[in-house]
Amino acid sequence: DEGWAFYAGSLEGETGGLTGAQLWNLGQKRCKDFGTCDGTIDNVNNRATANSKALSLVQMGADKIAQKKCNDVQTEFKLIVDQMSVPLLQGMIKYAFKSDKNNDLGSCGDGDCPKEWAEGWAFAAAILPRINSCDQDVAAMIVENLNTANDAPMSTMGYAAFKMEVEKTYSCLGLTCADIGELQNGAGVFSGMEACKDIDAPIAGYKPLTDVVPHSKIDLDQKEINSNAGATTQ
């Protein structure tokens, strides 16, 4: 009970929406940015899928505790932490995008965007311990790019490459590419912010056991060659 009270806060009312200031509210904001709302409240304030999953897991855990099965709730606890990580990752990726001075659609074209830098580092600092436990190299890359102690955050790597590095940790974090979604606005998904593909996603009906997504992208080179050569596929 206390855990959910801290997660949602008092301002969300009985059904939850977009009026609070806790992690529930953050999930609501980020799901609209990344297309990860599931529509369980209404057509205006769709519930973040991460919030729906977390709520279901909390209720399952509460039922087990009520039955005095306290040792059996470790699974729910871990899965709740996974879902709590979703809006933190989304926020970090969003503000890496906005902080990239070479991004014409960002907010740092003049190389000075203190708000975006601060937002990016705040989200990064919150999720860094989990990422570091999965991949220390990715964690170091995040610090190098988003730490506000740096002279110019997001100056060593473009936002698309940054996102691809972070995606390496999703499986370890208990998440999928669909959980994070893709950064978008009313006009569509931003270039370079498309949803990734999970390492075990089927390729033409075959489900690989290892990460061969980079290998499968060889056809992108062939597509570019065909295009430059004026060839068409039949």
Side-chain angles (χ1 to χ4, degrees), residues 36-103:
T36 53
C37 305
D38 64 16
T40 55
I41 293 182
D42 55 46
N43 292 328
V44 177
N45 292 315
N46 296 340
R47 179 177 291 171
T49 301
N51 282 340
S52 291
K53 290 182 177 180
L55 176 58
S56 177
L57 290 163
V58 167
Q59 291 172 330
M60 291 171 61
D63 290 342
K64 287 185 177 181
I65 292 174
Q67 298 171 36
K68 302 187 185 303
K69 297 179 180 179
C70 299
N71 293 329
D72 295 344
V73 297
Q74 290 300 313
T75 298
E76 284 77 13
F77 173 78
K78 181 183 181 305
L79 293 174
I80 290 168
V81 172
D82 293 343
Q83 293 306 311
M84 291 171 66
S85 300
V86 169
L88 302 179
L89 286 162
Q90 291 173 331
M92 180 178 70
I93 292 169
K94 174 181 178 178
Y95 284 98
F97 174 86
K98 292 175 74 69
S99 297
D100 186 345
K101 67 179 182 180
N102 295 315
N103 176 18

Side-chain angles (χ1 to χ4, degrees), residues 11-55:
L11 300 174
E12 296 294 352
E14 294 186 1
T15 59
L18 250 179
T19 58
Q22 297 297 96
L23 195 54
W24 171 284
N25 181 259
L26 178 62
Q28 295 301 110
K29 291 179 179 178
R30 293 292 84 87
C31 84
K32 297 180 184 301
D33 293 330
F34 283 80
T36 53
C37 305
D38 64 16
T40 55
I41 293 182
D42 55 46
N43 292 328
V44 177
N45 292 315
N46 296 340
R47 179 177 291 171
T49 301
N51 282 340
S52 291
K53 290 182 177 180
L55 176 58

Side-chain angles (χ1 to χ4, degrees), residues 120-185:
W121 183 234
F123 286 119
I127 194 63
L128 263 175
R130 292 204 74 205
I131 289 179
N132 189 65
S133 68
C134 290
D135 192 317
Q136 294 182 356
D137 290 337
V138 173
M141 180 279 301
I142 292 171
V143 172
E144 181 181 1
N145 279 275
L146 290 182
N147 191 342
T148 52
N150 299 336
D151 290 337
M154 281 305 295
S155 61
T156 64
M157 177 181 289
Y159 67 84
F162 178 93
K163 171 177 168 286
M164 289 180 65
E165 287 297 303
V166 174
E167 288 166 353
K168 294 178 181 178
T169 66
Y170 288 176
S171 178
C172 174
L173 294 171
L175 299 170
T176 67
C177 293
D179 287 328
I180 305 303
E182 46 196 4
L183 184 61
Q184 57 196 266
N185 62 13

